[in-house]
Amino acid sequence: EVQLVQSGAEVKKPGEPLKISCKGSGFKFSTYWIGWVRQMPGKGLEWMGVIYPNDSDTAYHPSFQGQITISADKSLSTAYLQWSSLKASDSAIYYCARDSAGNRFDRWGQGTQVIVS
Amino acid sequence: DIQMTQSPSSLSASVGDRVTITCRASQSIGNYLTWYQQKPGKAPRLLIFVASTLQSGVPSRFSGAGSGTDFTLTINSLQPDDFATYYCQQTYRVPHNFGPGTTLDIK
């Protein structure tokens, strides 16, 4: 079964670093783009960026470029989203998703809630 | 960036109704348009990709149409499980922006 399992909820203080994870199983992780999507409380979905684990090629939304780092370890079938210094405005649910054929997120993780306060 | 808009932003309907949600791109995106459904507290679910292809397991009462800049998602004979928020997304050019969403609730 194809699955993306994300790390658990985090409560952090402003200025702290954070790295959350997304582990894939049931498919060849290294050959799919993996994306990250933000959903702020009560708001819509925001495409943040994607990574191709096989060679770590990445693409970021301009709004998030420089604010986040997307990485992956193909040997662990895991993608990561990290911040070097959190802000209160980073409080949101973050979803990872598998990008199939470059035109759809066909499998999603369960989401990781990040609270910065 | 390609900007996406959706209308209406919210919609009230009854079980058995037929509803249509519209999505518009700020420039032509061919048929690179995807639709998702999201329920409160849950991850989004893929419904339709490349404008009109139904994802496996999605009921046939859902259909998508359009090309270029204007797209629609139609739900025939609404079921109680369909009340949710619907998002479109363009996958023509990075960043693959989502629309703002349309919330469908029970009248």
Side-chain angles (χ1 to χ4, degrees):
Chain A
E1 181 193 1
V2 172
Q3 276 194 306
L4 292 170
V5 178
Q6 297 185 230
S7 49
E10 301 274 0
V11 179
K12 307 293 276 186
K13 292 180 167 40
E16 291 185 334
L18 177 63
K19 190 174 189 178
I20 63 175
S21 65
C22 169
K23 183 173 176 60
S25 61
F27 66 102
K28 193 169 183 181
F29 186 83
S30 62
T31 62
Y32 283 83
W33 287 84
I34 301 295
W36 288 94
V37 175
R38 183 174 78 174
Q39 188 164 41
M40 298 179 76
K43 303 297 184 184
L45 305 174
E46 297 175 271
W47 189 95
M48 301 175 73
V50 289
I51 188 164
Y52 190 66
N54 200 45
D55 60 6
S56 290
D57 190 16
T58 53
Y60 291 92
H61 192 295
S63 297
F64 292 96
Q65 182 93 44
Q67 310 303 309
I68 58 165
T69 300
I70 295 172
S71 60
D73 185 334
K74 64 181 179 180
S75 68
L76 297 178
S77 298
T78 301
Y80 303 95
L81 175 64
Q82 69 180 94
W83 297 259
S84 58
S85 178
L86 285 162
K87 303 188 268 292
S89 57
D90 293 318
S91 296
I93 296 174
Y94 294 87
Y95 294 101
C96 66
R98 185 181 79 166
D99 187 325
S100 187
N103 60 31
R104 65 222 190 236
F105 284 144
D106 68 342
R107 292 288 191 274
W108 292 71
Q110 81 277 21
T112 295
Q113 182 165 32
V114 174
I115 296 171
V116 184
S117 176
Chain B
D1 291 15
I2 298 173
Q3 304 303 317
M4 308 301 292
T5 58
Q6 288 182 234
S7 61
S9 57
S10 64
L11 177 58
S12 294
S14 301
V15 172
D17 284 354
R18 179 176 187 251
V19 299
T20 297
I21 297 168
T22 297
C23 176
R24 178 165 289 169
S26 60
Q27 64 186 80
S28 179
I29 58 171
N31 66 344
Y32 288 92
L33 194 284
T34 306
W35 290 99
Y36 301 90
Q37 176 194 66
Q38 188 182 32
K39 296 182 180 178
K42 299 293 187 182
R45 170 197 182 196
L46 173 65
L47 296 177
I48 287 168
F49 57 97
V50 291
S52 61
T53 300
L54 206 63
Q55 171 69 353
S56 175
V58 174
S60 59
R61 63 181 179 273
F62 290 89
S63 63
S67 66
T69 60
D70 295 316
F71 301 86
T72 57
L73 171 70
T74 298
I75 312 171
N76 286 302
S77 189
L78 272 172
Q79 298 300 300
D81 191 50
D82 300 337
F83 293 95
T85 300
Y86 293 86
Y87 295 93
C88 63
Q89 180 198 26
Q90 67 83 15
T91 58
Y92 179 75
R93 181 179 297 141
V94 166
H96 292 172
N97 287 327
F98 291 91
T102 295
T103 300
L104 174 58
D105 60 26
I106 300 175
K107 187 184 289 184

